[in-house]
DNA sequence: CTGTTAGCGCATTCAA
DNA sequence: TTGAATGCGCTAACAG
């Protein structure tokens, strides 16, 4: 790679890369003890006399010693890096999730290795392999396929699936109570007299979409309202698609309210309603699952379901760390994060 | 470590932690070559015959070998983990920046270790130490203090400062062209006839705020407009504070337009204007530096300066990687990312 | 082009 | 309680 000609040149020039960092050896010399004593004094608890420990710590501080995680990880077969695998950091849902995770990990002196998989199975597997290579003890993932958590678990990595689930997964789970949240939201509209409510939804393969749709249905059943299946408007993942779908929904059917299954789709729906100059909520009500900041900035502010995304992230991290520390019984744990209805100005009585 | 007794138990019980992962030794045995040949065949280029290389790769694939980054990093004194140190992942500016960085790093097969420092100097230093422990070859940071990049560099870590600069920093830099952007935005308002423009700003210690304020001033000077210093409204970092400051600004002074120095402050300003039921832009114009998605969702959509945040992130990563690979001359490099004015509905002719 | 040897920095035996 | 010895998994020297 770099034969000595190159190394020599590097040494001659003002290159700062090969700064020799102090090792336990250096600290040992400085403190007048053995390397193993340094190791114990610095990390393990109870195997060094207070005096020695203080002396070692002082010496370490003095010469600017910083543990080498690579060496520590290699030797002790543990790592404090946690993989976090999400679909799109630019979506505030994932950003909030990651923020919650990071907060909790940092408090426990763990690090977050964040990877975007763009919702692509291939990139997701790629990322999983990278995390295997890093020998992370655990991964938090919003899975795209069941294969990814599976492969990780097969290799002894603890996995927490966040936000969504696949039928046969065996990993720990942290989910929003999608069904309850969507049901509450739908009932709020029904209580306002709406009987023809459009449901804008992108997928129902995952528990996320499936749960929200189930809640939508349940609210209808509970209120003895028949569902016009045509009002369930399946769309794609992006806001533009949602806008087209909303357009079609409005053209082809009479609805007095629309529920968007997530924050991205809501953008498209809102754009279409505004474009048509429909008065919200006088002419049509709009509500969304997954509250994000812009929803309270628009006029009227949107009625939403807040799924406490940051807290969801914290839960993921807490659960994973507990699992890593062996504090949990073997069987998988499911954490349901409550969803909370927030009524704002975008929903009102049904017209006529 | 895990003698066969334990391994046997592991196989019997549903414990997945002590999974013995294959090593180069195992691959070597499988392929009938030596460990070092495996290493060369798998990673280095040119030092293995095609036949052997193929055989080794097949063997590795077969037994599910995945390189141990810790061991590789320890031995070769290189790492593909990059530290990214930001203030608040929930702020879309930082999320976009991180997304751009991650995208570019991932393409180059590097990993992103993301740490939130909450804008707190102590947490920032804590994070720096963690990254030193991880032996990352480089860090991208939106610095809170000059000390953090300094310490990292002193330890041989390459640093790219993103978004802001401190006077004496010696690290590479990627900045928005704050002055030009703010000037253009201000001139846009002046061209619309505004002469009393409020400037809502949180800090001017960093190049960010300083540059934007300088652009604001420059636009006035260019147009022979005197600045009423009272219209420069200094506020704190959060939206609530910005709202209070906007309230005071409106109470105490007559302004026909307000410029917010960033996306967070804009929330506060907008909230106050709406609360007062001021018609935008008929009664007052509002514009903001740092375009984020909600600004095109509100009505009227906000006139903004887009600082291409994702691209800024990509630039940071590209610059850092080039530096790490030694492709750059020793002297620090400054990358200015152009800022682009986006005129939307929130700015209009000055009243009267 | 390939194998042998050695050691990165550390934590963990074990013996003292 | 401490020190000496060992090796985690890998890759860089060197020799062949």
């Amino acid at each position: 790679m770099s034969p000595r000609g190159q190394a020599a040149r590097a040494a001659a020039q003002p290159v700062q890369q090969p700064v020799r960092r102090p090792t336990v050896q250096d600290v040992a010399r400085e403190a007048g003890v053995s390397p193993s004593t340094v190791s114990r004094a610095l990390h393990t608890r109870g195997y060094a006399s207070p005096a020695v420990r203080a002396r070692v710590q002082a010496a370490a501080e003095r010469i600017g010693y910083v543990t080498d995680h690579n060496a520590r990880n290699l030797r002790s077969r543990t790592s404090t890096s946690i993989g976090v695998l999400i679909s799109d950091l630019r979506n505030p849902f994932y950003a909030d999730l990651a923020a919650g995770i990071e907060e909790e990990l940092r408090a426990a002196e763990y690090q977050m290795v964040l990877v975007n998989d763009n919702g692509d199975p291939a990139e997701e597997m790629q990322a999983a392999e990278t995390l295997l290579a890093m020998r992370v003890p655990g991964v938090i993932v919003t899975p795209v396929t069941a294969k990814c958590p599976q492969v990780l678990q097969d290799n002894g990595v603890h996995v927490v699936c966040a936000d969504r689930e696949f039928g046969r997964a065996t990993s720990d789970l942290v989910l929003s109570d999608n069904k309850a949240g969507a049901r509450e939201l739908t009932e709020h509209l029904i209580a306002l007299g709406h009987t023809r409510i459009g449901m804008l939804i992108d997928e129902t393969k995952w528990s996320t979409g499936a749960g929200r749709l189930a809640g939508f249905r349940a609210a209808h059943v509970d209120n003895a309202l028949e569902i016009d299946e045509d009002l369930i408007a399946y769309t794609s993942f992006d806001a533009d698609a949602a806008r087209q779908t909303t357009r079609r929904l409005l053209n082809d059917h009479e609805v007095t309210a629309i529920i968007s299954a997530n924050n991205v789709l809501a953008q498209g729906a809102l754009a279409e309603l505004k474009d048509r100059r429909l008065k919200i909520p006088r002419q049509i009500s709009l509500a969304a699952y997954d509250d994000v900041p812009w929803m309270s900035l628009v006029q009227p502010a949107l009625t939403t379901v807040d799924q406490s995304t940051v807290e969801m992230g914290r839960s993921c991290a807490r659960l994973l760390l507990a699992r890593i520390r062996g504090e949990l019984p073997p069987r998988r744990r499911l954490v349901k994060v409550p969803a909370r209805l927030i009524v704002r100005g975008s929903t009102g009585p049904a017209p006529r």
Side-chain angles (χ1 to χ4, degrees), chain A:
Chain A
M1 263 284 84
S2 78
R4 76 180 51 96
Q6 200 172 332
R9 241 182 295 126
Q13 282 193 10
V15 171
Q16 83 273 42
Q17 186 56 345
V19 172
R20 235 263 306 171
R21 314 266 262 275
T23 72
V24 277
Q25 296 271 3
D26 300 316
V27 179
R29 201 174 311 120
E30 179 78 12
V33 294
S34 75
S36 40
T37 299
V38 170
S39 174
R40 281 185 303 243
L42 254 30
H43 311 295
T44 331
R45 47 164 75 257
Y47 274 80
S49 68
V52 168
R53 174 157 303 178
R55 190 146 48 88
V56 169
Q57 280 166 351
E61 180 85 13
R62 207 176 316 131
I63 67 176
Y65 170 79
V66 179
T67 309
D68 185 327
H69 276 192
N70 292 311
R72 171 163 71 49
N73 294 348
L74 178 60
R75 174 61 236 237
S76 62
R77 300 148 166 296
T78 63
S79 164
T80 53
S81 289
I82 297 294
V84 174
L85 209 41
I86 60 176
S87 294
D88 178 16
L89 191 51
R90 303 190 61 193
N91 178 333
F93 169 75
Y94 294 106
D96 282 5
L97 188 71
I101 292 169
E102 196 274 343
E103 178 187 327
E104 201 75 30
L105 290 184
R106 184 158 38 81
E109 304 193 81
Y110 276 70
Q111 293 81 47
M112 174 173 78
V113 178
L114 187 65
V115 187
N116 244 21
D117 60 32
N118 300 310
D120 174 356
E123 298 197 49
E124 186 187 38
M125 284 312 297
Q126 180 68 39
E129 179 148 340
T130 300
L131 295 170
L132 285 177
M134 296 180 78
R135 300 299 192 259
V136 298
V139 169
I140 296 167
V141 54
T142 55
V144 177
T145 63
K147 195 179 164 197
C148 169
Q150 192 57 58
V151 165
L152 290 167
Q153 286 187 297
D154 289 347
N155 283 281
V157 177
H158 294 292
V159 174
V160 170
C161 288
D163 177 56
R164 26 191 206 250
E165 136 175 66
F166 294 92
R168 62 235 174 67
T170 66
S171 42
D172 291 320
L173 274 169
V174 178
L175 302 175
S176 167
D177 195 342
N178 293 297
K179 183 170 174 185
R183 181 204 294 247
E184 202 180 349
L185 183 55
T186 309
E187 279 180 340
H188 161 69
L189 287 170
I190 293 175
L192 286 169
H194 295 272
T195 55
R196 295 188 57 78
I197 306 169
M199 178 75 177
L200 193 59
I201 192 161
D202 54 358
E203 57 76 29
T204 52
K205 293 182 333 232
W206 299 339
S207 61
T208 316
R212 292 173 196 176
L213 184 54
F216 177 77
R217 289 188 190 280
H220 283 75
V221 170
D222 288 356
N223 289 273
L225 267 180
E226 201 155 336
I227 292 185
D228 180 348
E229 293 291 331
D230 289 347
L231 300 191
I232 300 174
Y234 296 93
T235 185
S236 181
F237 291 86
D238 59 301
D240 273 346
R243 181 168 180 171
Q244 306 299 335
T245 306
T246 305
R247 181 171 306 161
R248 248 176 291 122
L249 182 66
L250 293 175
N251 285 343
D252 302 350
H253 303 281
E254 278 187 35
V255 296
T256 59
I258 294 180
I259 294 177
S260 156
N262 66 48
N263 81 67
V264 174
L265 305 185
Q267 283 183 41
L270 179 60
E272 181 60 20
L273 298 189
K274 287 226 169 130
D275 195 57
R276 292 184 177 227
R277 307 244 185 285
L278 287 172
K279 296 293 174 210
I280 306 173
R282 210 153 47 72
Q283 297 175 281
I284 190 162
S285 287
L286 178 63
Y289 201 99
D290 189 14
D291 186 45
V292 297
W294 67 259
M295 294 180 179
S296 40
L297 293 172
V298 296
Q299 201 106 48
L302 294 200
T303 292
T304 61
V305 174
D306 169 24
Q307 46 180 342
S308 316
T309 313
V310 176
E311 181 53 30
M312 193 192 279
R314 290 194 203 101
S315 290
C316 290
R318 279 195 298 266
L319 179 54
L320 182 60
L321 292 179
R323 184 63 78 189
I324 288 170
R325 291 166 178 150
E327 297 166 358
L328 263 36
R331 69 180 202 77
R332 76 188 284 205
R333 176 157 302 188
L334 165 63
V335 175
K336 270 242 168 92
V337 180
R340 197 168 51 93
L341 175 67
I342 302 180
V343 177
R344 300 201 186 95
S346 69
T347 48
R352 300 200 322 109

